[in-house]
Amino acid sequence: MENFNKNNALIDFDLSGLIEKYRKKWYLFLISVIVCGFLAGAYAMIKKTLFSVRADILITQENKDGGLQTALLQNSSFGSLLGVGGNVDDEINLVSAHSTLREVAKTLGLNKTHVLRHSFFNKEDLYQEYPIEIYAAPMAEDTLSKTLQFKVRISEAGDIVVRVNKGFKKIATVKGSGFPLVVTTEYGDFILNPTSYYVPGEKLATNITIKGYDKAAEDIDKHTFISIPEKKSNLIHLEVQENNVERGKDLLNTIIETYNQRGIDEQNREGDLKAQFIDERIALVVQELAESEKQVEEYKKANNLTDIEVEAQIILEQNTALKQKRIDLEAQREMVDIVEEFLQNDKNNYTLIPFNPSMSDQSSASAIQQYNDLLLKRMEISFSAKESNRSLQILDEQIEATRKNVLSTLSGIKESLDISQDILGQQEEKFNKRISDMPTQEREYLDIKRLQIVKQNLFVFLLQKREENALTQSMATPKSTIV
């Protein structure tokens, strides 16, 4: 019991001494409270409020109905480049691609920031309504690899002092008494000019930061968030953290506009390539058609034929079904040759096959669809990948293998068409026995006329494809819609 009391007394004695020791240092606690309060107040004054600016876009679904050729013409670019329905995961990659954000930074001038200093604790981040603008030398903003800060101080008398810092290192100081003011640095010349928001005669302190478009795109990517709200959804959610609401709105709107415009531009480029190919084929067919018509004219003149059309029309009416089949097969055979020649031409390695050469063969449609899908996928990846990208190289190998498969399929179609032609030829021989009494001139004329009809049908087909392509280009629409 005695030991217990001694211990309590010792504890009471130590606690009292400790309190007394702290009481003597009361001023240190007061100073700590004041300093902490000052730091908290300074942080609250310096810290800018961040706002979340959001936008949702709906990826437009393309019509899945229609034939293969119509689908290829309608789904050939960025507003329609990614095929029927599209893949929303791929769309996210395109929206957030470095090239897209770089274009946004260039459009809005987000590689520059303007901060107006009212006092040490009162700094205002300006957007659009800033008093001083800075202009870089040509191409400087494209190649600028460092972030430069221009500290501009203007007195009431109009004296200007500009200090340029790279990080914590001062690299240039320029003084002047009027605008424009040229600041020469190792990164080029920069020109400062007043805007309509500058008030002469007032003291001004502003800091202007300028960086390259690539660095600006990286900064945008850090505070921009893109996601899919739900699986199997065609909706993409965009969100940006900004202390300036208007800048946040402009940023999201410009990202969406740039995404859509690049799609429309790509669709137009693909349509131009397709139109160029079709025009080349039309020019060739027109030449061949003119030669066929000339052969008909010369044959009639050489043999003094006048009523051959009437007699030939009677024969054609009696044998319409048989002749039409042969014409269709010959037209298909020539279209197969056109596509085969197109694929064997190295300059068309990464160009979509404009149409399916066989109107009744499903295997060729499937092979060509697979080949075009791979090309479309390569276009998507090439937006944000270099040629050395392994995925792009693997895709090139798949495209080459698929091209060989398409050529093999076309070879099989040609053999099938040749067999069908032979069968129809045998049937035609039986029919020719019935008209063996016709003059040789009339039979020769029918052969020439049939070749002319084949060329005419091919010419009409190509004209139709050209009109479809022109219609698709004129109706180019954005891939996404803001909801």
Side-chain angles (χ1 to χ4, degrees):
M1 185 68 177
E2 183 178 355
N3 291 334
F4 178 76
N5 291 333
K6 287 181 179 180
N7 291 333
N8 286 341
L10 182 60
I11 294 173
D12 292 340
F13 175 79
D14 290 340
L15 182 61
S16 299
L18 184 63
I19 293 174
E20 180 64 21
K21 181 180 178 180
Y22 287 155
R23 188 179 64 80
K24 291 179 181 180
K25 303 291 184 179
W26 62 270
Y27 58 90
L28 295 178
F29 289 97
L30 180 60
I31 292 173
S32 299
V33 171
I34 293 174
V35 170
C36 291
F38 175 79
L39 292 176
Y43 177 79
M45 294 178 65
I46 296 175
K47 176 68 175 177
K48 300 298 182 181
T49 302
L50 286 178
F51 300 93
S52 291
V53 183
R54 302 182 180 92
D56 293 315
I57 58 174
L58 181 65
I59 303 303
T60 305
Q61 292 285 345
E62 297 291 342
N63 183 13
K64 296 185 179 181
D65 297 330
L68 173 63
Q69 290 110 16
T70 302
L72 290 176
L73 288 172
Q74 290 180 341
N75 303 322
S76 59
S77 104
F78 190 29
S80 307
L81 170 67
L82 302 173
V84 177
N87 187 315
V88 179
D89 291 328
D90 292 337
E91 299 297 325
I92 288 181
N93 293 330
L94 290 172
V95 173
S96 61
H98 179 80
S99 56
T100 301
L101 299 183
R102 189 182 191 279
E103 186 64 26
V104 171
K106 189 173 184 179
T107 301
L108 295 179
L110 296 182
N111 62 317
K112 303 175 187 176
T113 58
H114 299 259
V115 177
L116 185 63
R117 291 173 56 94
H118 299 288
S119 65
F120 181 79
F121 294 109
N122 188 4
K123 300 177 182 179
E124 183 180 359
D125 185 2
L126 301 177
Y127 174 64
Q128 293 183 342
E129 299 179 357
Y130 38 79
I132 303 297
E133 177 61 293
I134 184 169
Y135 301 93
M139 302 302 293
E141 293 172 281
D142 286 308
T143 59
L144 189 61
S145 59
K146 301 294 182 180
T147 299
L148 304 181
Q149 185 183 52
F150 292 75
K151 295 184 177 182
V152 183
R153 303 295 182 266
I154 304 176
S155 67
E156 294 177 352
D159 297 325
I160 308 170
V161 179
V162 180
R163 296 181 177 85
V164 185
N165 292 341
K166 181 181 69 175
F168 295 101
K169 179 182 178 182
K170 183 169 68 175
I171 61 173
T173 300
V174 177
K175 297 181 180 181
S177 57
F179 294 103
L181 183 64
V182 179
V183 180
T184 301
T185 71
E186 59 186 287
Y187 300 98
D189 293 341
F190 297 85
I191 302 175
L192 275 67
N193 262 328
T195 69
S196 59
Y197 299 98
Y198 172 68
V199 180
E202 290 188 1
K203 190 175 181 181
L204 177 65
T206 182
N207 295 341
I208 305 173
T209 302
I210 184 170
K211 65 190 75 170
Y213 293 129
D214 289 317
K215 182 62 170 63
E218 294 173 2
D219 292 342
I220 293 174
D221 188 49
K222 291 177 182 178
H223 64 271
T224 303
F225 308 96
I226 304 175
S227 61
I228 304 175
E230 297 180 2
K231 291 183 178 180
K232 298 182 180 180
S233 171
N234 291 323
L235 199 68
I236 294 180
H237 177 74
L238 296 91
E239 182 175 347
V240 61
Q241 300 290 331
E242 262 289 352
N243 55 37
N244 188 298
V245 175
E246 291 304 316
R247 181 164 54 202
K249 290 180 180 179
D250 289 347
L251 175 59
L252 292 186
N253 286 333
T254 308
I255 288 176
I256 297 170
E257 290 172 3
T258 302
Y259 163 75
N260 285 332
Q261 187 58 47
R262 287 184 62 178
I264 293 174
D265 292 342
E266 183 60 31
Q267 182 181 17
N268 290 334
R269 283 193 294 271
E270 186 61 35
D272 290 340
L273 291 174
K274 195 173 297 182
Q276 180 182 356
F277 169 75
I278 293 175
D279 288 341
E280 290 175 355
R281 299 307 308 178
I282 288 177
L284 182 60
V285 171
V286 166
Q287 182 180 355
E288 294 175 349
L289 184 58
E291 292 176 357
S292 297
E293 292 174 347
K294 187 176 181 180
Q295 285 181 348
V296 172
E297 180 182 356
E298 291 177 349
Y299 188 85
K300 292 173 67 175
K301 287 181 179 180
N303 295 279
N304 295 321
L305 300 176
T306 56
D307 298 327
I308 191 69
E309 289 89 350
V310 176
E311 298 178 17
Q313 183 64 33
I314 295 174
I315 297 174
L316 288 174
E317 289 176 355
Q318 294 175 345
N319 198 30
T320 298
L322 181 61
K323 296 296 183 182
Q324 188 60 48
K325 287 181 181 180
R326 293 209 62 178
I327 290 171
D328 292 341
L329 288 176
E330 289 175 6
Q332 290 184 43
R333 182 65 163 77
E334 187 152 350
M335 284 188 285
V336 170
D337 290 337
I338 290 174
V339 176
E340 188 176 49
E341 178 185 350
F342 175 85
L343 288 174
Q344 291 172 347
N345 192 334
D346 291 339
K347 74 175 184 179
N348 299 323
N349 281 350
Y350 301 114
T351 304
L352 295 174
I353 299 176
F355 48 81
N356 177 20
S358 178
M359 293 176 284
S360 61
D361 186 84
Q362 294 300 321
S363 62
S364 66
S366 176
I368 291 175
Q369 181 67 61
Q370 182 183 5
Y371 179 78
N372 284 335
D373 288 343
L374 288 174
L375 289 180
L376 293 175
K377 187 174 181 181
R378 187 186 189 279
M379 292 178 191
E380 300 169 13
I381 296 177
S382 64
F383 277 129
S384 54
K386 298 180 179 179
E387 291 296 327
S388 59
N389 184 280
R390 182 56 185 163
S391 298
L392 195 60
Q393 293 175 353
I394 293 174
L395 190 57
D396 287 342
E397 294 174 0
Q398 294 176 351
I399 290 173
E400 181 59 27
T402 305
R403 178 165 49 245
K404 293 180 179 179
N405 179 48
V406 173
L407 287 171
S408 176
T409 301
L410 293 178
S411 178
I413 293 174
K414 288 167 63 176
E415 293 179 1
S416 177
L417 291 174
D418 290 340
I419 293 174
S420 298
Q421 284 279 38
D422 291 339
I423 295 175
L424 289 178
Q426 294 173 4
Q427 294 177 357
E428 189 173 14
E429 287 179 1
K430 295 179 180 179
F431 178 80
N432 287 337
K433 290 181 181 180
R434 293 161 47 197
I435 57 174
S436 58
D437 294 334
M438 290 183 60
T440 302
Q441 294 177 345
E442 292 180 340
R443 291 198 301 271
E444 291 176 350
Y445 175 80
L446 288 178
D447 290 337
I448 298 174
K449 190 66 177 179
R450 183 176 61 193
L451 180 60
Q452 181 187 18
I453 293 174
V454 170
K455 299 298 182 183
Q456 288 175 341
N457 288 346
L458 184 58
F459 177 70
V460 172
F461 173 79
L462 290 173
L463 286 179
Q464 180 183 357
K465 294 298 109 181
R466 185 170 66 179
E467 291 302 315
E468 289 179 3
N469 184 62
L471 182 61
T472 300
Q473 285 187 279
S474 66
M475 297 177 62
T477 57
K479 181 70 176 178
S480 66
T481 305
I482 299 177
V483 295

